[in-house]
Amino acid sequence: MSLVVLAVDDEPPALDELAYLLNADGRVAHVHRAGDATEALRVLRDTEVDAVFLDIRMPGLDGMELARILRRFARPPAIVFVTAYDDGAVDAFDLGVTDYVRKPVRAERLGESLRRVAGSRPVPAAAPTQPADEPTIPVELAGTTRMLPRSSVRWVEAQGDYARLHTSDASHLVRVSLATLAERWADAGFVRIHRSYLVQIRLIAELRLTGSGYVVAVDGIELPVSRRHTRELKDRLIRAVKHDWTR
């Protein structure tokens, strides 16, 4: 697949470097440039692109706001954030971006983003539009940003202003509060059991009373349930079991 992409950055040296690296990849047929979000929208008004490689912090309309506009397009381009900061990772997750690349950009890392973009574009003459890909969240792993599927998260632990996402075989620290995730992930089955813990309710193997209070077991690990959350958790578990019996 030959990709047409748009590079957006308000700093000319950074824009030149990004455009150079994109042009150097054999999957890219053409690179359009824009120095800010307004110019990017002018380009997109007249040109259909497969992906937008977008800085976040820009004067005027910033990259996050532009991404929200792009998501409303009839055929939205893939969005790859290219930024020196990691504090936009959770909002990027909510927008369903294809990738989140940290500056300084390396050619091999950009190549991975282009591979993801190519894989996300619709196949010509395909059947009707398929449901959107599963939500993902950008996490750092050995110096590389990876997109972690939300379904792989088993439980979440608060660590100050951060949250640690626990999967079946690893954990990842992300810059977002547990309260924010509890609100955003409630519809996906995540339930608050303690001021420090958020759990995927379908993975709770048992709720048990111990000498120090209630605990739940997830993947063989016991997590405390605070008194204020016990009643709600019991009700949720009972409703879930009844639903499974009667459906």
Side-chain angles (χ1 to χ4, degrees):
M1 173 181 282
S2 294
L3 300 172
V4 176
V5 302
L6 170 62
V8 187
D9 200 307
D10 65 300
E11 298 181 357
L15 181 58
D16 289 344
E17 176 69 9
L18 179 58
Y20 172 79
L21 291 173
L22 288 168
N23 269 315
D25 192 288
R27 286 163 290 200
V28 176
H30 186 76
V31 179
H32 296 275
R33 301 186 186 201
D36 57 35
T38 301
E39 185 180 353
L41 288 172
R42 283 198 293 266
V43 172
L44 293 168
R45 180 187 59 196
D46 302 322
T47 307
E48 186 171 308
V49 304
D50 297 294
V52 178
F53 287 75
L54 178 61
D55 189 19
I56 292 180
R57 297 192 180 182
M58 297 186 295
L61 192 71
D62 68 20
M64 203 67 69
E65 292 167 325
L66 176 58
R68 292 189 180 98
I69 293 172
L70 299 183
R71 300 304 294 173
R72 297 199 293 267
F73 279 26
R75 182 181 179 271
I79 299 170
V80 176
F81 281 128
V82 183
T83 175
Y85 307 94
D86 61 5
D87 56 0
V90 172
D91 287 333
F93 149 75
D94 282 342
L95 288 169
V97 303
T98 300
D99 208 351
Y100 192 97
V101 179
R102 291 288 304 277
K103 295 178 180 179
V105 183
R106 294 177 291 110
E108 57 270 25
R109 181 66 184 87
L110 204 61
E112 171 65 16
S113 293
L114 287 165
R115 184 190 66 77
R116 294 178 183 179
V117 168
S120 72
R121 304 320 291 157
V123 177
T129 304
Q130 298 297 314
D133 290 341
E134 177 187 0
T136 58
I137 187 166
V139 298
E140 290 292 325
L141 184 63
T144 299
T145 303
R146 302 293 186 191
M147 306 305 285
L148 180 73
R150 182 172 62 187
S151 63
S152 67
V153 178
R154 319 288 283 182
W155 50 283
V156 185
E157 179 183 5
Q159 293 192 350
D161 294 331
Y162 290 74
R164 184 168 291 279
L165 311 180
H166 292 266
T167 66
S168 60
D169 59 359
S171 68
H172 307 276
L173 195 65
V174 296
R175 187 180 299 191
V176 60
S177 70
L178 193 72
T180 297
L181 287 184
E183 179 182 350
R184 295 181 178 181
W185 290 10
D187 291 343
F190 284 85
V191 58
R192 191 78 172 262
I193 64 168
H194 188 277
R195 63 191 177 101
S196 298
Y197 296 100
L198 184 68
V199 176
Q200 171 55 259
I201 193 168
R202 64 181 173 79
L203 300 177
I204 295 177
E206 64 177 11
L207 173 65
R208 181 165 54 86
L209 181 63
T210 69
S212 57
Y214 279 95
V215 298
V216 295
V218 179
D219 294 339
I221 298 172
E222 292 187 350
L223 303 173
V225 181
S226 67
R227 183 175 302 176
R228 63 174 294 200
H229 290 101
T230 299
R231 172 74 58 134
E232 180 186 359
L233 179 60
K234 284 183 178 179
D235 290 344
R236 290 281 300 271
L237 289 171
I238 291 171
R239 288 199 302 269
V241 171
K242 284 183 177 179
H243 178 265
D244 288 341
W245 281 352
T246 57
R247 66 180 176 178

